[in-house]
């Protein structure tokens, strides 16, 4: 979608595979449903820049033997080989869980140390799991800020987590399809409900 193919495209994607033996509603059926809604909305809009709607496979294969994140890795590698200009990548990763009870949100100890600003924001919310997190690399910070403004205009709280410095040590921030694009220098943002750090419905 987009009426000016000369402009660099946006990529909006989510993985559609699930862990074997699970229904995969939140990981990651809900994000695929979100993609379909976005596709419909984009089709009804007068957009200038192209937007690619992408569903990746094999996100759940995270082992180093298999290579991990196979679908998005192949795409990112091919775009890098082509020296493609990409305006930004938005990765929807588990966006279905909302829990307004105090104490429903967990912050891993490593992130408490590496990301004290994030921890403080969650603490001020009394550890309620009623927000989404945007996780962006340095080149996608402006994108993350615009996402946050847009979400909050609809009353959806967003916590922005910049991926820089010591945060590189936190493997939990690289567990989805944005990571191969980060590794190849593309601006990319993961949007997440924090997965297994909220509630009991992971996978």
């Amino acid at each position: 979608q987009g009426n000016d193919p000369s402009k660099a495209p946006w990529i909006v994607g989510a993985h559609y595979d699930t862990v074997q033996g699970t229904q995969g509603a939140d990981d990651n059926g809900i994000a695929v449903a979100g993609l379909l809604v976005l596709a419909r909305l984009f089709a009804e809009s007068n957009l200038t820049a192209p937007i690619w709607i992408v569903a990746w496979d094999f996100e759940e294969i995270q082992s180093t033997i298999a290579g991990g994140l196979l679908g998005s890795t192949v795409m990112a590698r091919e775009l890098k080989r082509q020296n493609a200009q990409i305006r930004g990548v938005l990765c929807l990763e588990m966006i279905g869980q909302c829990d307004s009870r105090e104490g429903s949100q967990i912050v891993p100890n490593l992130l408490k140390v590496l990301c004290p600003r994030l921890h403080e924001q969650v603490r001020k919310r009394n550890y309620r799991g009623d927000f989404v997190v945007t996780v962006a690399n340095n080149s996608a910070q402006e994108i993350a800020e615009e996402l946050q403004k847009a979400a909050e205009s609809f009353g959806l709280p967003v916590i922005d987590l910049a991926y820089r410095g010591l945060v590189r040590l936190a493997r939990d921030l690289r567990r989805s399809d944005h990571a191969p694009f980060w590794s190849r220098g593309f601006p990319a943002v993961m949007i997440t409900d924090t997965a297994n750090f909220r509630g009991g419905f992971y996978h």
Side-chain angles (χ1 to χ4, degrees):
Q1 182 65 29
N3 54 31
D4 189 348
S6 67
K7 290 186 176 292
W10 293 92
I11 296 173
V12 182
H15 73 88
Y16 63 89
D17 62 317
T18 65
V19 171
Q20 187 173 4
T22 70
Q23 296 179 356
D26 193 37
D27 191 7
N28 202 21
I30 188 67
V32 174
L35 277 184
L36 296 175
V37 171
L38 287 172
R40 186 190 70 216
L41 293 173
F42 292 151
E44 296 170 353
S45 303
N46 185 24
L47 302 172
T48 302
I51 298 178
W52 299 351
I53 302 292
V54 181
W56 294 295
D57 200 0
F58 292 111
E59 188 269 354
E60 296 295 353
I61 298 177
Q62 299 272 345
S63 73
T64 54
I65 295 174
L69 304 167
L70 298 182
S72 52
T73 296
V74 170
M75 183 179 192
R77 186 172 60 219
E78 181 62 16
L79 290 172
K80 184 68 173 179
R81 187 189 67 80
Q82 296 173 4
N83 197 29
Q85 298 301 305
I86 302 298
R87 196 163 180 185
V89 180
L90 306 181
C91 172
L92 304 182
E93 175 57 57
M94 297 189 65
I95 55 174
Q97 291 193 64
C98 180
D99 193 334
S100 298
R101 296 174 299 167
E102 293 186 6
S104 59
Q105 181 66 51
I106 298 170
V107 179
N109 288 330
L110 182 60
L111 285 183
K112 289 179 182 179
V113 174
L114 299 181
C115 312
R117 187 176 66 86
L118 172 137
H119 182 223
E120 179 62 15
Q121 291 180 76
V122 177
R123 188 192 66 77
K124 285 182 177 179
R125 303 186 68 80
N126 294 316
Y127 296 93
R128 295 192 308 271
D130 59 355
F131 58 89
V132 294
V133 175
T134 56
V135 185
N137 58 350
N138 290 340
S139 59
Q141 278 304 291
E142 186 175 335
I143 298 170
E145 290 169 6
E146 290 301 317
L147 285 170
Q148 184 168 4
K149 290 176 187 176
E152 290 180 345
S153 72
F154 288 95
L156 176 62
V158 178
I159 292 178
D160 176 37
L161 178 55
Y163 180 75
R164 59 168 69 96
L166 290 176
V167 179
R168 293 177 181 274
L169 299 176
R171 180 184 175 276
D172 285 321
L173 302 182
R174 299 186 64 96
R175 283 168 45 195
S176 193
D177 292 298
H178 60 293
F181 293 94
W182 281 358
S183 297
R184 289 159 180 83
F186 294 109
V189 181
M190 174 178 64
I191 303 169
T192 178
D193 62 17
T194 75
N196 52 302
F197 300 114
R198 177 181 304 172
F201 299 101
Y202 183 50
H203 288 153

